[in-house]
Amino acid sequence: MEITGEYFEALSSRGRKASLKPEGDHLSVYVDGDRIAGELRLESMQDNRVLHFECGRQFIADEVLGREFRLRHLGKTERFIRWLEQFSIRRALLLTVLVVSALALYRVLLSTASGLIVAGLPHSLEREIGENTYLAMKRTVFEESELPESVRSRLVGGAWALSGHMELPDVPEIHFHSSGFFGPNALAFPGGPVVVTDELVNLLDDDEEILAVIAHELAHVRERHSLKQIVDIVGMTAIAAILFGADESLIEEATAVLINARVLRNSRDYEKEADLIALEVIRDLGMDEMSLHSAISKLIGHSCGRDPAGAGLEECLEGDEFPDWLSTHPAGAERLEYLSGK
């Protein structure tokens, strides 16, 4: 049996006309009758034509390869995955069981392990990740702040008071930037720093509301939410790769969707936790308890182009049809309800 096609060396985009011949349990590549590669083991196959070998080489057959070739040269795991991808009700049910089992494995093992991993990682490493991320974004999406120095100094002083009350291991740096990309926003990077945009300061125009938002971001830093997300994503991806491989199969795509859904749910949980921590800090420091509620109301109104006062906010909340499960934050109505103490 001889298969004609195009052969590619590892990490090369230059192909050569060649033929592929089975030799025992292995495959060999011939060009003009000379064997140029031997003892190749097939790692995966796409579209029944594109062959990926364990050594990184690749062969694209001129014609679709038959079932006999796949049975002989594909590993058991790869054959099983390809069998699942041929849709039937029985196989769909089996696929569902496999994915649910993977999620159960994650919940039992990784949920506990990720907490231990995060607790064991030094804060210095977390700060380095955050600082490098901030510097990269500073070069691309952040511009120099145009806020008066007096305003920035006053808000930084308030942020330091918040940090001291929250007993953070280190006082995060507070940076002010203009950003047309982010608009009115504040961002907490792993371990700090915290970025507050000029657009947010100008929109809220109230120190206590701005500090309430900063308290929310400091809660993310204290609880190490960004680092937890990183560990969770790496852990879930590793489990999926071990169970299903990483060859762009249907199972891999389905697992990626479930991982994204899990990440979004974690994000919503972390946002609510940061809200409630900020609310507690605001109360402890004798600030206006409704300052965070008011800030979020203004941000919701800005996002839908309405005045957050009176009926404008209600119209925004009623017109919000974005599915909760696709959002990184709790729904606006839910968020305002628990921030009002109801």
Side-chain angles (χ1 to χ4, degrees):
M1 178 183 181
E2 181 175 320
I3 302 165
T4 59
E6 197 168 9
Y7 170 73
F8 297 83
E9 290 287 353
L11 304 178
S12 173
S13 60
R14 294 185 60 185
R16 289 189 286 174
K17 296 300 293 182
S19 59
L20 188 69
K21 296 181 181 179
E23 296 180 352
D25 294 332
H26 303 86
L27 295 161
S28 296
V29 177
Y30 288 82
V31 173
D32 297 329
D34 296 326
R35 191 173 83 157
I36 61 170
E39 298 188 357
L40 300 175
R41 288 187 177 275
L42 190 60
E43 181 178 64
S44 63
M45 183 165 61
Q46 292 176 279
D47 302 325
N48 293 327
R49 288 184 57 234
V50 183
L51 311 181
H52 300 278
F53 300 108
E54 292 179 353
C55 56
R57 295 164 178 166
Q58 188 180 89
F59 187 90
I60 302 178
D62 291 333
E63 298 179 358
V64 172
L65 300 175
R67 181 172 180 272
E68 180 182 347
F69 178 88
R70 298 196 301 272
L71 290 175
R72 180 175 179 182
H73 296 286
L74 280 176
K76 291 182 179 179
T77 301
E78 175 72 13
R79 291 204 305 270
F80 178 62
I81 290 174
R82 297 183 71 82
W83 176 78
L84 280 175
E85 290 181 322
Q86 300 172 22
F87 181 79
S88 72
I89 294 178
R90 183 163 64 97
R91 292 170 185 174
L93 289 173
L94 182 55
L95 173 58
T96 302
V97 170
L98 284 171
V99 173
V100 170
S101 298
L103 289 176
L105 179 63
Y106 161 75
R107 292 181 66 85
V108 172
L109 298 179
L110 193 60
S111 293
T112 301
S114 62
L116 296 174
I117 292 170
V118 170
L121 291 174
H123 287 278
S124 58
L125 174 61
E126 185 181 11
R127 286 195 301 273
E128 184 177 355
I129 294 172
E131 186 65 28
N132 288 335
T133 306
Y134 162 68
L135 291 175
M137 294 180 69
K138 183 179 179 181
R139 293 191 292 267
T140 54
V141 295
F142 293 143
E143 299 175 5
E144 291 299 319
S145 174
E146 297 180 0
L147 295 174
E149 178 62 32
S150 59
V151 173
R152 286 181 282 166
S153 297
R154 188 173 68 244
L155 292 173
V156 168
W160 285 351
L162 292 171
S163 299
H165 182 79
M166 296 172 73
E167 298 181 347
L168 292 166
D170 296 288
V171 178
E173 293 184 0
I174 309 296
H175 298 292
F176 294 90
H177 287 285
S178 175
S179 177
F181 181 82
F182 283 108
N185 215 327
L187 303 91
F189 294 89
V194 171
V195 169
V196 180
T197 67
D198 291 5
E199 291 81 358
L200 178 73
V201 174
N202 293 329
L203 174 69
L204 300 185
D205 196 27
D206 180 281
D207 281 10
E208 288 206 352
E209 292 179 9
I210 298 165
L211 289 173
V213 173
I214 293 175
H216 169 98
E217 300 304 327
L218 292 175
H220 283 311
V221 175
R222 191 186 77 178
E223 300 303 316
R224 311 183 80 177
H225 287 158
S226 295
L227 190 60
K228 288 177 180 177
Q229 281 283 52
I230 293 170
V231 171
D232 276 351
I233 292 170
V234 172
M236 287 186 287
T237 304
I239 289 176
I242 291 170
L243 291 177
F244 306 126
D247 60 350
E248 300 181 2
S249 67
L250 175 62
I251 295 178
E252 185 190 5
E253 297 298 329
T255 306
V257 171
L258 291 173
I259 289 175
N260 287 334
R262 174 72 184 186
V263 169
L264 290 172
R265 193 182 82 170
N266 283 347
S267 178
R268 292 192 296 274
D269 290 344
Y270 292 153
E271 291 297 331
K272 183 173 182 178
E273 183 180 16
D275 278 343
L276 296 177
I277 291 172
L279 190 58
E280 181 181 353
V281 171
I282 289 167
R283 288 169 177 163
D284 289 346
L285 293 178
M287 296 168 59
D288 181 0
E289 291 189 10
M290 294 298 289
S291 56
L292 185 56
H293 181 283
S294 179
I296 299 302
S297 297
K298 290 180 180 179
L299 287 167
I300 292 173
H302 178 271
S303 68
C304 72
R306 303 289 178 86
D307 184 348
L313 180 60
E314 294 298 325
E315 292 174 1
C316 286
L317 296 176
E318 291 174 1
D320 183 10
E321 299 179 352
F322 192 74
D324 291 349
W325 62 277
L326 287 176
S327 177
T328 58
H329 289 65
E334 175 194 353
R335 203 173 183 189
L336 293 178
E337 182 176 1
Y338 65 68
L339 286 176
S340 66
K342 295 180 181 179

